[in-house]
Amino acid sequence: MLDISHAGEHVKDAVSFHLPFGKHFDLPLIDLGTVQVFGAEVPLRLQVTKFMVLELAAAVLMIMVFVPLAWRLRGGRAPRGRLTNLFEAMLEFIRNEVARPAIGKHDADRFLPFLWTVFFFVLFCNLLGLIPWAGSPTGALSVTGALAALTFLTVVGAGMRQFGPVRYWLGLVPQMELPAAMAVILKPMLFVIEVLGLLIKHSVLAVRLMANMFAGHLVLAVILGFIAAVADLWTILWVGVTVMSIVGQVALNMLELFVAFLQAYIFTFLAALFIGMSVHEH
């Protein structure tokens, strides 16, 4: 019988990279000394994890791709090469088909650096998850939660900059003509509901990205586990299960490749939509 109780361990964060043939590479624990807290010495330690390394790799890849591209475009030179043209087309797609329709042509360009960064960071993290023995940082709630928190701060900051802090927060309550006695009761309730709704929308933004990426990699791990589950059975059965598992892995990896782009697009689209709702009065 297939035991999938430990399948989730293969797609979670870890303090080491597990390599083929039982080998693993341990990540360092950085000792930052101690700090005094209420007269007691508390040690400060930073454990480097697998997802930290992969996020740093995604950031380095973005720098390697887009800094030369920016230099070329700033110098007025046309982009050359299929890869360069691909990234330029993706940048224009986010600007013309995501940012400007959702935010408006007048305000969209101010938020393009944020939207471009979010899109490609999520995309690169998703694609790193397709590398064997690596992992997808976007399959962890801590990563997607941080991205959603940055989006929340951008949305709220954009709204307060556009309308001012007081007008922005008061504008969350829909304009209604109510008797004074009823308004005193209903408007505070509506304000609380709107604030909770704002928090929930961004929380869902984090959870849906994490759930989609985690679930996809969990399915891949389970399908691969079928091979080990029947390893002690008949040879013919083992060969058949191995072949079908490999075919299933290839097919699902193609689907995961599509999902990597799709989830990056959805996250960026929703972020642009929330920004657009924030900088325009309802």
Side-chain angles (χ1 to χ4, degrees):
M1 184 176 179
L2 178 62
D3 181 14
I4 62 171
S5 59
H6 301 291
E9 300 298 326
H10 299 285
V11 293
K12 290 182 179 180
D13 201 0
V15 296
S16 62
F17 282 93
H18 293 276
L19 303 175
F21 309 110
K23 297 181 180 180
H24 65 277
F25 176 74
D26 292 326
L27 296 170
L29 175 64
I30 302 174
D31 191 351
L32 301 176
T34 59
V35 64
Q36 292 285 338
V37 179
F38 300 111
E41 290 191 353
V42 178
L44 294 178
R45 295 175 180 175
L46 175 62
Q47 174 64 63
V48 180
T49 67
K50 179 172 66 174
F51 285 173
M52 290 182 184
V53 175
L54 293 173
E55 289 174 74
L56 180 61
V60 171
L61 287 173
M62 291 174 63
I63 293 172
M64 293 173 61
V65 169
F66 293 108
V67 170
L69 179 60
W71 284 344
R72 177 178 290 274
L73 294 177
R74 178 178 294 179
R77 293 177 294 172
R80 293 182 179 179
R82 294 181 179 179
L83 190 61
T84 302
N85 280 278
L86 172 64
F87 282 116
E88 186 188 21
M90 294 169 72
L91 290 170
E92 290 186 353
F93 176 81
I94 297 299
R95 182 189 65 186
N96 298 331
E97 304 299 331
V98 176
R100 289 182 176 176
I103 304 175
K105 189 174 182 180
H106 177 71
D107 297 313
D109 289 355
R110 291 193 291 122
F111 301 98
L112 274 176
F114 173 75
L115 295 175
W116 280 339
T117 302
V118 167
F119 174 79
F120 284 103
F121 182 77
V122 173
L123 176 61
F124 281 25
C125 286
N126 292 348
L127 293 178
L128 287 173
L130 298 178
I131 300 176
W133 308 291
S136 177
T138 44
L141 187 59
S142 58
V143 177
T144 60
L147 291 171
L150 288 174
T151 305
F152 174 79
L153 293 176
T154 302
V155 169
V156 173
M160 291 194 297
R161 180 181 177 183
Q162 184 78 9
F163 303 110
V166 175
R167 184 181 172 190
Y168 169 75
W169 289 106
L170 292 180
L172 293 178
V173 179
Q175 297 294 330
M176 297 180 295
E177 295 183 0
L178 297 173
M182 187 177 295
V184 170
I185 299 174
L186 288 181
K187 287 194 173 182
M189 293 175 58
L190 290 174
F191 178 77
V192 173
I193 292 173
E194 291 294 333
V195 172
L196 289 176
L198 190 64
L199 295 172
I200 291 171
K201 285 190 296 186
H202 290 83
S203 300
V204 171
L205 194 64
V207 173
R208 69 174 313 282
L209 176 59
M210 181 275 296
N212 279 282
M213 300 312 300
F214 182 85
H217 288 82
L218 182 61
V219 171
L220 290 173
V222 170
I223 291 178
L224 195 62
F226 284 128
I227 299 176
V230 298
D232 297 332
L233 301 179
W234 301 307
T235 303
I236 297 177
L237 179 61
W238 178 80
V239 171
V241 170
T242 300
V243 171
M244 294 304 297
S245 295
I246 293 174
V247 172
Q249 284 278 312
V250 172
L252 284 176
N253 267 288
M254 294 298 102
L255 178 61
E256 283 293 298
L257 181 61
F258 169 72
V259 170
F261 283 85
L262 178 64
Q263 293 303 319
Y265 165 75
I266 292 176
F267 192 98
T268 308
F269 173 78
L270 291 176
L273 193 63
F274 295 160
I275 293 172
M277 294 169 62
S278 177
V279 299
H280 295 94
E281 289 186 305
H282 302 296

